Amino acid sequence: MRIVKLIGCTTPAAHKDEYSYDSSDAVEQLNIKSSSSDKLTKLPYYPASATPGIIPLSTKAHRAPKGRKWTNWAGNQTCRPSRLLRPTTVQDIVDIVKCAKEERKTIRCVASAHTWSSSSVVEDGILVFVNKMTKIFPPAYTEGQGWTVELETGVTVRALDDYLRKHSPPLAMTANIVMDTACYGGMLALGSHGAATHSRTLSDLACEVKIVDSTGTLNTFTREKDPIEFSAAACNLGLLGVIYSYTLRVEPMFNLVMSDSYPLFMDLFDCPKQGGAWLKEMVLLNDQTQILYWPFNTHFKGKGEMKVGRYAKAEVWVKQWRRTDQPESVTSSWKLCRRVRQHIESSFGTSVLRIMAAKPKIAPAINSLIHQGLRRPGKKVLAVPDAIHFQGNLEAPIVVGLECVFKVDKGFERPCRAWRFAVDKVYEYAMCGKYPVNMTMDMRFIKSSDQIMSYVYDKDPEAIFCTVEILSAAKTKGFEDFSAMLAQHWMSEYKARVHWAKLWEHIPGIVPYLREQAGPQLDQFESIRQKYDPQGMFLNKTFAGVLGHK
């Protein structure tokens, strides 16, 4: 008879890149049905040093009060699951699912815990940490498909980048997020995106997904096998089961010209027609485009200042990436120095953000200093991973954010109006001594996706969506109310949607709004979900209402 040892946490821990949690040291009994017998076998809750298999959580950090409490990276999501488990093999996942089925427990998964929504929250259920599922399989080349690589869900962005660089020939992801410590499992399941317009979301780079469903069966989803089910599996929100692996399309390594410029805000966004034409030309010509704005990055008097004068000399940071055949223009020493400098800057920024959250009125002075410190105009030719991950150690400053997406109009005037409205509100609040936004505002452009649950889903493959994100230091007073106000305006004016991984559940009326906007699409996904999880083992409150459950 095969003995399955499920080992949970026995010593409290916290890790800034993953999660924090509390636990008691008591020995717990788990009921696991043997694979070769209908009898239940009682197994102890093993200590950290006991055995391989499903290993315990890290024991490196401080001891916390009794009771299993999990908190995400930003500290805005917390839950008390009945069990915390970390698989290392696909068989471990199968055993966990079968155990949960026998005990009638729900399951949610967590990777690097950078998600701000309550996607991973599970009460009185099993929280599964997938960040030890780190196997990367040898890349394969096929005619018509090109290069692909299969990876388990705990693989980080940096680990895959390093692995692909060493391959012969060197390979690379065509799109990615800036942060390189996040795990692919969470990023892909929630449909995350970078700034690459034509590559769409990261989930759109998937060509195969393997998921263990509620019966413990490992299912393989491909577009060739069933395009509808594949579109649900690629961006599945963790609702079809525990994701084991993704197979992604990659390309031979290439270089990008990365340019940084700092035009005046008013030159670009004062006139939507003029600014829209500029945006359209830039987005359609570039491989990737990103616009960032630090509020109060120039002189700001505050009360009594004329409206136009508030940001007459404010700058925006425009980043553009274009493919090139030119060789890299920087050395390995330059890259190392950049990473060291950015780690120092980010570590310093962590303390600054905590101060700004506690004393919001210093935000204008601090933001002006940060903007000037990061201001480095010019062009450089970099290998694609080095160009995409232009800022290191982003996990150090603890922030929260909301992101809305909407389809651009023909003249790209809509993004200008949406951006201008948000900036106007930031300064209106500041005139009253309120600073709910003390970090960047960010704008990117990506083409539509055919994946059912993608927030950029559209039947027109050439449709382009604008993503607008606002960030603030964690625990900044008034941020949730301010961001909800912006979201409601963008939803009313532009039928905006929300990024599943960012803050969105605090927006008043958001669930009925999403049902109204995408009811048939959500119902189609729900019918597929019912096939693989009829009892709702993987369903939590986050998505239950969105899928029509009361």
Side-chain angles (χ1 to χ4, degrees), residues 172-176 193-202 205 251-259 279-291 318-326 380-385 387-388 412 443-447 464-465:
M173 295 280 290
T174 58
N176 224 316
H193 66 90
T197 303
H198 307 286
S199 296
R200 309 177 195 274
T201 70
L202 299 187
L205 297 174
E251 290 188 15
M253 183 69 71
F254 59 93
N255 292 342
L256 292 171
V257 176
M258 182 180 73
S259 65
L279 276 178
K280 182 176 182 178
E281 179 182 14
M282 182 170 58
V283 169
L284 296 182
L285 285 176
N286 291 337
D287 282 84
Q288 305 186 35
T289 305
Q290 185 170 8
I291 302 173
V318 179
K319 292 194 69 69
Q320 302 178 67
W321 295 264
R322 293 185 187 178
R323 290 203 186 203
T324 181
D325 294 329
Q326 300 176 44
K380 291 180 175 62
V381 180
L382 299 162
V384 57
I388 291 176
F412 277 59
M443 181 188 293
R444 287 168 283 178
F445 300 85
I446 51 175
K447 280 191 173 181
I464 295 177
F465 284 78

Side-chain angles (χ1 to χ4, degrees), residues 173-185:
M173 295 280 290
T174 58
N176 224 316
I177 65 172
V178 180
M179 181 185 287
D180 63 4
T181 54
C183 296
Y184 277 101

Side-chain angles (χ1 to χ4, degrees), residues 1-4 32-41 91 94-95 98:
M1 180 172 64
R2 180 175 179 269
I3 301 296
V4 180
I32 311 293
K33 182 175 288 189
S34 168
S35 59
S36 60
S37 171
D38 291 334
K39 295 181 180 180
L40 293 179
T41 304
Q91 186 59 51
V94 171
D95 293 334
K98 289 181 177 180

Side-chain angles (χ1 to χ4, degrees), residues 243-263:
I243 308 166
Y244 168 60
S245 72
Y246 273 91
T247 299
L248 304 175
R249 295 191 302 276
V250 293
E251 290 188 15
M253 183 69 71
F254 59 93
N255 292 342
L256 292 171
V257 176
M258 182 180 73
S259 65
D260 295 274
S261 58
Y262 299 84

Side-chain angles (χ1 to χ4, degrees), residues 510-531:
I510 184 61
V511 171
Y513 171 83
L514 293 174
R515 294 288 306 168
E516 179 184 350
Q517 291 294 313
Q521 176 186 334
L522 297 172
D523 291 341
Q524 184 182 26
F525 179 86
E526 171 62 8
S527 66
I528 297 172
R529 189 200 67 78
Q530 286 279 353
K531 175 181 176 181

Side-chain angles (χ1 to χ4, degrees), residues 128-196:
V128 177
F129 295 85
V130 300
N131 60 334
K132 287 297 180 181
M133 305 288 294
T134 57
K135 184 184 297 183
I136 303 174
F137 297 85
Y141 181 85
T142 57
E143 290 294 334
Q145 183 78 276
W147 285 100
T148 61
V149 61
E150 182 182 1
L151 55 144
E152 295 180 333
T153 51
V155 173
T156 64
V157 172
R158 185 186 302 168
L160 182 61
D161 283 347
D162 291 345
Y163 180 89
L164 294 177
R165 285 179 196 263
K166 297 174 183 177
H167 184 264
S168 181
L171 302 170
M173 295 280 290
T174 58
N176 224 316
I177 65 172
V178 180
M179 181 185 287
D180 63 4
T181 54
C183 296
Y184 277 101
M187 291 162 49
L188 296 166
L190 296 171
S192 297
H193 66 90

